[in-house]
Amino acid sequence: QVQLVESGGGSVQAGGSLRLSCAASGSTDRNACMGWFRQTPGKERERVSITYISGDGVVYPNYADSVKGRFTVSRDNARNTFYLQMNSLKPEDTAMYYCAARGGLCSTEWSDFPYWGQGTQVTVSS
């Protein structure tokens, strides 16, 4: 079992920045996939970023076109925490953000991730 706890959401004005954190605990595979997804009411959960973490700790991030160049993922191995740095935020980035995890190879489908954080709200005002 893997437990994910998110933090870092909030309200900012357009152009601002936020950093989301996802602290992982429990049994974690050496090879794993971490994802950030977001969802607004009435819409399907949307992929923001998918990152494959190899057995030797190298990260291979992949970003949705809508956030490419603005969002960056990173990892603190010592704290077993995964981050999503969000810069140049836009009102359309407003959503509930979730981190998710799965062992082994990555998938772009949110339904393939068995472990989820509780979500953190990000609100961007114009």
Side-chain angles (χ1 to χ4, degrees):
Q1 287 290 330
V2 175
Q3 293 79 44
L4 302 174
V5 179
E6 299 174 35
S7 60
S11 297
V12 295
Q13 290 191 328
S17 298
L18 284 173
R19 188 178 77 161
L20 306 184
S21 301
C22 178
S25 61
S27 176
T28 54
D29 294 346
R30 285 181 57 81
N31 300 331
C33 182
M34 297 294 295
W36 287 99
F37 295 84
R38 64 187 182 186
Q39 190 170 21
T40 55
K43 292 188 177 181
E44 187 163 332
R45 201 160 290 191
E46 174 191 19
R47 174 180 61 89
V48 174
S49 176
I50 301 292
T51 299
Y52 175 67
I53 304 170
S54 69
D56 54 3
V58 179
V59 296
Y60 300 89
N62 180 277
Y63 301 95
D65 288 342
S66 59
V67 306
K68 200 172 293 183
R70 300 187 297 121
F71 291 12
T72 305
V73 299
S74 62
R75 183 189 184 207
D76 183 331
N77 292 340
R79 292 183 170 84
N80 211 17
T81 299
F82 203 63
Y83 301 99
L84 180 67
Q85 178 67 44
M86 306 185 295
N87 298 328
S88 301
L89 282 162
K90 304 175 181 180
E92 51 262 44
D93 294 319
T94 295
M96 184 70 79
Y97 283 71
Y98 299 90
C99 66
R102 57 173 277 144
L105 298 178
C106 279
S107 171
T108 58
E109 299 295 326
W110 65 266
S111 56
D112 290 334
F113 286 76
Y115 306 111
W116 289 85
Q118 79 282 6
T120 186
Q121 178 69 36
V122 171
T123 302
V124 185
S125 58
S126 58

